[in-house]
mmCIF file with all atom_site columns, all heavy atoms in Angstrom:
data_model
loop_
_atom_site.group_PDB
_atom_site.id
_atom_site.type_symbol
_atom_site.label_atom_id
_atom_site.label_alt_id
_atom_site.label_comp_id
_atom_site.label_asym_id
_atom_site.label_entity_id
_atom_site.label_seq_id
_atom_site.pdbx_PDB_ins_code
_atom_site.Cartn_x
_atom_site.Cartn_y
_atom_site.Cartn_z
_atom_site.occupancy
_atom_site.B_iso_or_equiv
_atom_site.pdbx_formal_charge
_atom_site.auth_seq_id
_atom_site.auth_comp_id
_atom_site.auth_asym_id
_atom_site.auth_atom_id
_atom_site.pdbx_PDB_model_num
ATOM 1  N N   . ASP A 1 477 ? -3.254 3.747  0.028  1.00 97.00 ? 477 ASP A N   1
ATOM 2  C CA  . ASP A 1 477 ? -2.870 3.509  1.411  1.00 97.00 ? 477 ASP A CA  1
ATOM 3  C C   . ASP A 1 477 ? -3.107 4.766  2.239  1.00 97.00 ? 477 ASP A C   1
ATOM 4  O O   . ASP A 1 477 ? -3.149 5.883  1.714  1.00 97.00 ? 477 ASP A O   1
ATOM 5  C CB  . ASP A 1 477 ? -1.384 3.131  1.490  1.00 97.00 ? 477 ASP A CB  1
ATOM 6  C CG  . ASP A 1 477 ? -1.093 1.796  0.832  1.00 97.00 ? 477 ASP A CG  1
ATOM 7  O OD1 . ASP A 1 477 ? -1.993 0.938  0.806  1.00 97.00 ? 477 ASP A OD1 1
ATOM 8  O OD2 . ASP A 1 477 ? 0.037  1.627  0.332  1.00 97.00 ? 477 ASP A OD2 1
ATOM 9  N N   . ALA A 1 478 ? -3.239 4.577  3.543  1.00 97.00 ? 478 ALA A N   1
ATOM 10 C CA  . ALA A 1 478 ? -3.391 5.719  4.437  1.00 97.00 ? 478 ALA A CA  1
ATOM 11 C C   . ALA A 1 478 ? -2.155 6.618  4.346  1.00 97.00 ? 478 ALA A C   1
ATOM 12 O O   . ALA A 1 478 ? -1.033 6.140  4.182  1.00 97.00 ? 478 ALA A O   1
ATOM 13 C CB  . ALA A 1 478 ? -3.597 5.248  5.871  1.00 97.00 ? 478 ALA A CB  1
ATOM 14 N N   . LYS A 1 479 ? -2.384 7.916  4.440  1.00 95.00 ? 479 LYS A N   1
ATOM 15 C CA  . LYS A 1 479 ? -1.277 8.866  4.346  1.00 95.00 ? 479 LYS A CA  1
ATOM 16 C C   . LYS A 1 479 ? -1.521 9.983  5.366  1.00 95.00 ? 479 LYS A C   1
ATOM 17 O O   . LYS A 1 479 ? -1.934 11.078 5.016  1.00 95.00 ? 479 LYS A O   1
ATOM 18 C CB  . LYS A 1 479 ? -1.161 9.437  2.944  1.00 95.00 ? 479 LYS A CB  1
ATOM 19 C CG  . LYS A 1 479 ? 0.135  10.215 2.683  1.00 95.00 ? 479 LYS A CG  1
ATOM 20 C CD  . LYS A 1 479 ? 0.142  10.780 1.269  1.00 95.00 ? 479 LYS A CD  1
ATOM 21 C CE  . LYS A 1 479 ? 1.459  11.431 0.927  1.00 95.00 ? 479 LYS A CE  1
ATOM 22 N NZ  . LYS A 1 479 ? 2.540  10.459 0.717  1.00 95.00 ? 479 LYS A NZ  1
ATOM 23 N N   . ARG A 1 480 ? -1.279 9.689  6.603  1.00 93.00 ? 480 ARG A N   1
ATOM 24 C CA  . ARG A 1 480 ? -1.448 10.705 7.645  1.00 93.00 ? 480 ARG A CA  1
ATOM 25 C C   . ARG A 1 480 ? -0.210 11.592 7.698  1.00 93.00 ? 480 ARG A C   1
ATOM 26 O O   . ARG A 1 480 ? 0.914  11.118 7.460  1.00 93.00 ? 480 ARG A O   1
ATOM 27 C CB  . ARG A 1 480 ? -1.689 10.041 9.000  1.00 93.00 ? 480 ARG A CB  1
ATOM 28 C CG  . ARG A 1 480 ? -2.959 9.180  9.045  1.00 93.00 ? 480 ARG A CG  1
ATOM 29 C CD  . ARG A 1 480 ? -3.316 8.834  10.465 1.00 93.00 ? 480 ARG A CD  1
ATOM 30 N NE  . ARG A 1 480 ? -3.659 10.029 11.224 1.00 93.00 ? 480 ARG A NE  1
ATOM 31 C CZ  . ARG A 1 480 ? -3.805 10.049 12.553 1.00 93.00 ? 480 ARG A CZ  1
ATOM 32 N NH1 . ARG A 1 480 ? -3.610 8.959  13.259 1.00 93.00 ? 480 ARG A NH1 1
ATOM 33 N NH2 . ARG A 1 480 ? -4.129 11.167 13.169 1.00 93.00 ? 480 ARG A NH2 1
ATOM 34 N N   . PRO A 1 481 ? -0.368 12.871 8.004  1.00 93.00 ? 481 PRO A N   1
ATOM 35 C CA  . PRO A 1 481 ? 0.788  13.770 8.080  1.00 93.00 ? 481 PRO A CA  1
ATOM 36 C C   . PRO A 1 481 ? 1.826  13.269 9.086  1.00 93.00 ? 481 PRO A C   1
ATOM 37 O O   . PRO A 1 481 ? 1.491  12.823 10.178 1.00 93.00 ? 481 PRO A O   1
ATOM 38 C CB  . PRO A 1 481 ? 0.158  15.094 8.542  1.00 93.00 ? 481 PRO A CB  1
ATOM 39 C CG  . PRO A 1 481 ? -1.260 15.019 8.112  1.00 93.00 ? 481 PRO A CG  1
ATOM 40 C CD  . PRO A 1 481 ? -1.647 13.581 8.252  1.00 93.00 ? 481 PRO A CD  1
ATOM 41 N N   . ASP A 1 482 ? 3.100  13.366 8.697  1.00 92.00 ? 482 ASP A N   1
ATOM 42 C CA  . ASP A 1 482 ? 4.199  12.900 9.533  1.00 92.00 ? 482 ASP A CA  1
ATOM 43 C C   . ASP A 1 482 ? 5.339  13.900 9.400  1.00 92.00 ? 482 ASP A C   1
ATOM 44 O O   . ASP A 1 482 ? 5.885  14.094 8.308  1.00 92.00 ? 482 ASP A O   1
ATOM 45 C CB  . ASP A 1 482 ? 4.650  11.513 9.074  1.00 92.00 ? 482 ASP A CB  1
ATOM 46 C CG  . ASP A 1 482 ? 5.755  10.927 9.951  1.00 92.00 ? 482 ASP A CG  1
ATOM 47 O OD1 . ASP A 1 482 ? 6.344  11.683 10.746 1.00 92.00 ? 482 ASP A OD1 1
ATOM 48 O OD2 . ASP A 1 482 ? 6.038  9.730  9.808  1.00 92.00 ? 482 ASP A OD2 1
ATOM 49 N N   . ILE A 1 483 ? 5.695  14.544 10.498 1.00 91.00 ? 483 ILE A N   1
ATOM 50 C CA  . ILE A 1 483 ? 6.722  15.580 10.463 1.00 91.00 ? 483 ILE A CA  1
ATOM 51 C C   . ILE A 1 483 ? 8.039  15.075 9.899  1.00 91.00 ? 483 ILE A C   1
ATOM 52 O O   . ILE A 1 483 ? 8.800  15.829 9.277  1.00 91.00 ? 483 ILE A O   1
ATOM 53 C CB  . ILE A 1 483 ? 6.926  16.189 11.876 1.00 91.00 ? 483 ILE A CB  1
ATOM 54 C CG1 . ILE A 1 483 ? 7.749  17.478 11.791 1.00 91.00 ? 483 ILE A CG1 1
ATOM 55 C CG2 . ILE A 1 483 ? 7.560  15.185 12.817 1.00 91.00 ? 483 ILE A CG2 1
ATOM 56 C CD1 . ILE A 1 483 ? 7.804  18.245 13.092 1.00 91.00 ? 483 ILE A CD1 1
ATOM 57 N N   . GLU A 1 484 ? 8.317  13.796 10.072 1.00 88.00 ? 484 GLU A N   1
ATOM 58 C CA  . GLU A 1 484 ? 9.569  13.227 9.569  1.00 88.00 ? 484 GLU A CA  1
ATOM 59 C C   . GLU A 1 484 ? 9.606  13.175 8.051  1.00 88.00 ? 484 GLU A C   1
ATOM 60 O O   . GLU A 1 484 ? 10.674 13.097 7.434  1.00 88.00 ? 484 GLU A O   1
ATOM 61 C CB  . GLU A 1 484 ? 9.783  11.824 10.147 1.00 88.00 ? 484 GLU A CB  1
ATOM 62 C CG  . GLU A 1 484 ? 9.888  11.775 11.660 1.00 88.00 ? 484 GLU A CG  1
ATOM 63 C CD  . GLU A 1 484 ? 11.061 12.575 12.191 1.00 88.00 ? 484 GLU A CD  1
ATOM 64 O OE1 . GLU A 1 484 ? 12.101 12.639 11.491 1.00 88.00 ? 484 GLU A OE1 1
ATOM 65 O OE2 . GLU A 1 484 ? 10.958 13.143 13.291 1.00 88.00 ? 484 GLU A OE2 1
ATOM 66 N N   . ARG A 1 485 ? 8.416  13.213 7.426  1.00 87.00 ? 485 ARG A N   1
ATOM 67 C CA  . ARG A 1 485 ? 8.346  13.111 5.975  1.00 87.00 ? 485 ARG A CA  1
ATOM 68 C C   . ARG A 1 485 ? 7.989  14.428 5.298  1.00 87.00 ? 485 ARG A C   1
ATOM 69 O O   . ARG A 1 485 ? 7.897  14.488 4.082  1.00 87.00 ? 485 ARG A O   1
ATOM 70 C CB  . ARG A 1 485 ? 7.316  12.052 5.573  1.00 87.00 ? 485 ARG A CB  1
ATOM 71 C CG  . ARG A 1 485 ? 7.675  10.665 6.087  1.00 87.00 ? 485 ARG A CG  1
ATOM 72 C CD  . ARG A 1 485 ? 6.588  9.651  5.716  1.00 87.00 ? 485 ARG A CD  1
ATOM 73 N NE  . ARG A 1 485 ? 6.911  8.326  6.227  1.00 87.00 ? 485 ARG A NE  1
ATOM 74 C CZ  . ARG A 1 485 ? 6.121  7.274  6.117  1.00 87.00 ? 485 ARG A CZ  1
ATOM 75 N NH1 . ARG A 1 485 ? 4.942  7.411  5.521  1.00 87.00 ? 485 ARG A NH1 1
ATOM 76 N NH2 . ARG A 1 485 ? 6.469  6.096  6.599  1.00 87.00 ? 485 ARG A NH2 1
ATOM 77 N N   . LEU A 1 486 ? 7.815  15.481 6.098  1.00 87.00 ? 486 LEU A N   1
ATOM 78 C CA  . LEU A 1 486 ? 7.482  16.781 5.533  1.00 87.00 ? 486 LEU A CA  1
ATOM 79 C C   . LEU A 1 486 ? 8.756  17.539 5.194  1.00 87.00 ? 486 LEU A C   1
ATOM 80 O O   . LEU A 1 486 ? 9.726  17.491 5.969  1.00 87.00 ? 486 LEU A O   1
ATOM 81 C CB  . LEU A 1 486 ? 6.637  17.586 6.519  1.00 87.00 ? 486 LEU A CB  1
ATOM 82 C CG  . LEU A 1 486 ? 5.238  17.032 6.820  1.00 87.00 ? 486 LEU A CG  1
ATOM 83 C CD1 . LEU A 1 486 ? 4.555  17.868 7.877  1.00 87.00 ? 486 LEU A CD1 1
ATOM 84 C CD2 . LEU A 1 486 ? 4.387  16.979 5.548  1.00 87.00 ? 486 LEU A CD2 1
ATOM 85 N N   . PRO A 1 487 ? 8.766  18.245 4.079  1.00 78.00 ? 487 PRO A N   1
ATOM 86 C CA  . PRO A 1 487 ? 9.968  18.993 3.718  1.00 78.00 ? 487 PRO A CA  1
ATOM 87 C C   . PRO A 1 487 ? 10.198 20.156 4.675  1.00 78.00 ? 487 PRO A C   1
ATOM 88 O O   . PRO A 1 487 ? 9.251  20.722 5.227  1.00 78.00 ? 487 PRO A O   1
ATOM 89 C CB  . PRO A 1 487 ? 9.659  19.502 2.306  1.00 78.00 ? 487 PRO A CB  1
ATOM 90 C CG  . PRO A 1 487 ? 8.162  19.536 2.236  1.00 78.00 ? 487 PRO A CG  1
ATOM 91 C CD  . PRO A 1 487 ? 7.695  18.402 3.085  1.00 78.00 ? 487 PRO A CD  1
ATOM 92 N N   . SER A 1 488 ? 11.450 20.488 4.916  1.00 70.00 ? 488 SER A N   1
ATOM 93 C CA  . SER A 1 488 ? 11.762 21.614 5.782  1.00 70.00 ? 488 SER A CA  1
ATOM 94 C C   . SER A 1 488 ? 12.423 22.702 4.964  1.00 70.00 ? 488 SER A C   1
ATOM 95 O O   . SER A 1 488 ? 13.046 22.454 3.941  1.00 70.00 ? 488 SER A O   1
ATOM 96 C CB  . SER A 1 488 ? 12.714 21.151 6.901  1.00 70.00 ? 488 SER A CB  1
ATOM 97 O OG  . SER A 1 488 ? 13.896 20.582 6.352  1.00 70.00 ? 488 SER A OG  1
#
Side-chain angles (χ1 to χ4, degrees):
D477 294 331
K479 192 182 186 73
R480 299 194 64 191
D482 183 347
I483 193 171
E484 299 299 327
R485 299 177 181 176
L486 294 176
S488 57

